[in-house]
Amino acid sequence: ELTSKKRDEFEDILEERRLSSDLRYAMKCYTPVIYKGLSPCKPNAIKSAVLQSEQVQYVIKQLAKEMGESPDIIQEEATEILDEMGHRMQLGAVRFFAFTLSKIFKQLFQRVCVNEEGMQRLQHAIQEHPVVLLPSHRSYVDFLMLSYLLYTYDLALPVIAAGIGKYVFKQYFLGMKIVGELLRRAGAFFMRRSFGGNRLYWAVFAEYVKTMLRNGYAPIEFFLEGTRSRTAKTLTPKFGLLSIVMEPFFKREVFDTYLVPISISYERILEESLYAYELLGVPKPKESTSGLLKARRILSDNFGTIHIYVGQPVSLRTLASGRINRCPYNLVPRHLPQKPSEDIQEFVSDVAYKMELLQIENMVLSPWVLVAAVLLQNLPAMEFELLIEKTLWLKGLTQTFGGFIEWPDNLCAKKAVLSGLALHSNIARLADGHVVLSDKGSDDGVVGEVVFRHALAVLTCATYRNQLLNVCVRPGLVAVALHMAPSFRKEEVYSCFSFLRDVFSDEFIFFPGISLK
């Protein structure tokens, strides 16, 4: 029932792109409806507003006093921070990306499916209150795909937080020169991953984000996980940016803020091999324009289908109702920095975990995820017919646990498994009626190379298996707790479950503090 309900909502946005001109699509009349009919605010106007804000001016005066320097010098430093950080969104760059991405996505993916109802809800939310988009993060494609999607549906393009390591700032996205500048002009703003206690940087960054949120002319987008998950398991959330976007509501500068969880599911991840190499200790290659051009060879590969599920917008006002007392914020001038109370910190943490659990709930699993899970339990090889039988069994179990599997109604199990093997031929293959891992050349070479190639195949396969763990982790822990408990008394099973939940709290996403539920 769940499967058919959700599948009916999906529409392939590439279908129309394959039938009409990409140039016409890129040059279409683009007039997105935005928050309360405001005019888009020019990037330079945002920078001026940030520099002149009471909060930034207060920190500048405090630092000038403490360091014995002229406020003008600190002001100049704040301007440099803003220039390093700020986006410069331009419609020309947006149209360039629309044309280029249309060509690339049609080449890479068979389908890009999005839930229509979710897009309608998002369109309504953007007109009502400031919106914060919170997508899952599995690939560099995530933020490009989301902007492409919003452009397709004539919605305001988001401004996107891109994290940059403090000491590799110039070598990272910005070091990609042309690409970095294009990303900036398409709405990316760049933040250092670590502020190192730099009060001025924190003040400028926080005010920049809050100014964009208060104006509400574009959704703000960032990844709660902070970085791409190399294992396909959802990473524990980071709270910094979420805390910043909540502050205008706490200080009554906005009536409400909508948080929108978005689940992006890949049938085949572009960086699958790169992640496996990283997990085996091979250094991550530096991003560069030349590296990006070399990566164009992947355009000849097939990466299957992407599913994007735009979740129900969650009202921050509703979440805070009856739980957060905003009165203490009224007792202090808004521009004075305030350390969040323990109640606020706990609230921010709970909201972050809630958003990630909503992302997990709406992830779409492909048949290959089931095949990978069964195959890894039966290495080095498994009979093809037995693999089909076990995959069907696991399909039923996953649906019982509430997992959503994209399995076409008219597709028999054999074809579904063969289709997965064809798409992932670099991981597994059919040989003499058995399915084996494609660790090519593992019979020759020195022992170290043989082990490395086998580990590479296993880890790549595990990336897809891990998508299933999000669905099965709670029933799995209950099953282990039943096995561990000395009797089936509820209190003893619950005690074992709580112990296991604490052990795995950094490995999987659990809602804080309600393990009994």
Side-chain angles (χ1 to χ4, degrees), residues 57 60-61 64-65 69-77:
Q57 286 301 316
I60 286 172
K61 284 171 189 168
K65 202 172 179 181
E69 288 191 11
S70 162
D72 292 342
I73 293 171
I74 311 287
Q75 175 96 2
E76 204 173 302
E77 194 182 328

Side-chain angles (χ1 to χ4, degrees), residues 410-462:
N410 57 353
L411 195 66
C412 70
K414 184 177 180 179
K415 284 184 179 174
V417 173
L418 283 172
S419 172
L421 287 171
L423 186 66
H424 298 274
S425 57
N426 60 318
I427 303 175
R429 59 196 166 86
L430 187 59
D432 301 323
H434 288 74
V435 176
V436 294
L437 289 182
S438 297
D439 42 0
K440 289 170 185 169
S442 59
D443 294 333
D444 55 305
V446 295
V447 174
E449 285 178 15
V450 173
V451 172
F452 187 87
R453 280 194 294 262
H454 181 70
L456 203 62
V458 170
L459 279 174
T460 310
C461 202

Side-chain angles (χ1 to χ4, degrees), residues 114-134:
V114 62
N115 63 323
E116 283 281 299
E117 286 181 29
M119 293 308 296
Q120 289 165 13
R121 289 193 297 261
L122 180 58
Q123 185 175 22
H124 179 72
I126 285 172
Q127 296 174 55
E128 292 296 312
H129 298 290
V131 165
V132 179
L133 303 178
L134 301 170

Side-chain angles (χ1 to χ4, degrees), residues 24 28 36 47 243 345 504:
R24 192 178 295 122
K28 69 176 182 174
K36 292 186 178 170
K47 286 183 184 178
S243 180
Q345 289 179 40
F504 292 106

